[in-house]
Amino acid sequence: MLESVSHLEEVAREWKINREDVLLLALNSCGARSPLDKPRMRFRLELDSRPADPSYLILSLGREDSPFEIDEHELRLHGERVGTVAGIEDDDAVLGYWRNGTKMLTLNSNQRSQCTGCTFCPNTLEGASDPAIRVGHLDTQVTQLGEEARPPGLSPRCRTRASP
């Protein structure tokens, strides 16, 4: 994989691919070493070479053979900082979660516990933290997500204010 930041730039020139794409492909492929106590995390990454164009990633951690290291503040390639990190969340592969307040709902249709994975994907190397979905329970779980987002006093059926 990448041996250094200068090797990253060399690969980008040779293949005529911008360095940010080469770095993100390598990061996705290798995962990262980390002192964080999480198997996977979601976070915002601002690459030093392009700070005005942040990326939002999910990354496998605990990969001791990776050339990347990540902590609460920065991403390093072989010890050299290549970006800053913010908004770290545990990627716990829940059924769904709200984003942008409660304006957008993300549903994880594929559970890690049921995934056999692709050969390059680290999901199959980790224990899954998501519960098994049983047939017939999806409606209940989606309803619970709706309950989490509904402001107090709002009717669950018609999304109007309930009578006092």
Side-chain angles (χ1 to χ4, degrees):
M1 195 43 67
L2 296 175
E3 298 167 11
S4 64
V5 172
S6 60
H7 183 229
L8 160 69
E9 292 167 1
E10 191 178 303
V11 169
R13 272 192 312 274
E14 180 181 337
W15 288 91
K16 296 178 178 73
I17 301 171
N18 73 55
R19 69 186 304 269
E20 293 82 10
D21 287 347
V22 172
L23 187 140
L24 291 173
L25 285 165
L27 179 61
N28 188 50
S29 176
C30 296
R33 294 173 281 118
S34 180
L36 301 174
D37 188 25
K38 303 175 185 317
R40 290 169 50 99
M41 69 180 211
R42 291 186 295 266
F43 62 101
R44 176 182 164 148
L45 174 64
E46 292 179 0
L47 295 175
D48 290 347
S49 60
R50 197 179 286 175
D53 191 17
S55 299
Y56 296 87
L57 304 174
I58 295 175
L59 185 64
S60 176
L61 303 181
R63 307 292 300 276
E64 295 305 318
D65 58 343
S66 175
F68 294 96
E69 183 174 8
I70 195 166
D71 61 25
E72 302 91 355
H73 306 289
E74 61 184 38
L75 172 67
R76 294 174 294 282
L77 172 59
H78 289 290
E80 190 174 336
R81 184 179 123 160
V82 292
T84 58
V85 173
I88 295 172
E89 295 179 19
D90 189 14
D91 180 42
D92 51 6
V94 293
L95 171 68
Y97 54 92
W98 293 100
R99 295 183 294 132
N100 196 12
T102 55
K103 294 180 182 175
M104 298 177 74
L105 175 61
T106 298
L107 292 175
N108 291 327
S109 58
N110 296 314
Q111 292 185 286
R112 285 181 38 220
S113 62
Q114 305 300 313
C115 179
T116 57
C118 302
T119 18
F120 61 85
C121 181
N123 274 346
T124 58
L125 304 176
E126 305 164 0
S129 59
D130 59 328
I133 295 178
R134 295 188 192 107
V135 176
H137 288 144
L138 185 58
D139 284 349
T140 302
Q141 290 175 316
V142 170
T143 299
Q144 287 173 338
L145 286 168
E147 292 294 322
E148 291 173 16
R150 193 180 67 235
L154 194 63
S155 168
R157 293 198 184 264
C158 61
R159 295 285 189 191
T160 60
R161 292 272 170 208
S163 304

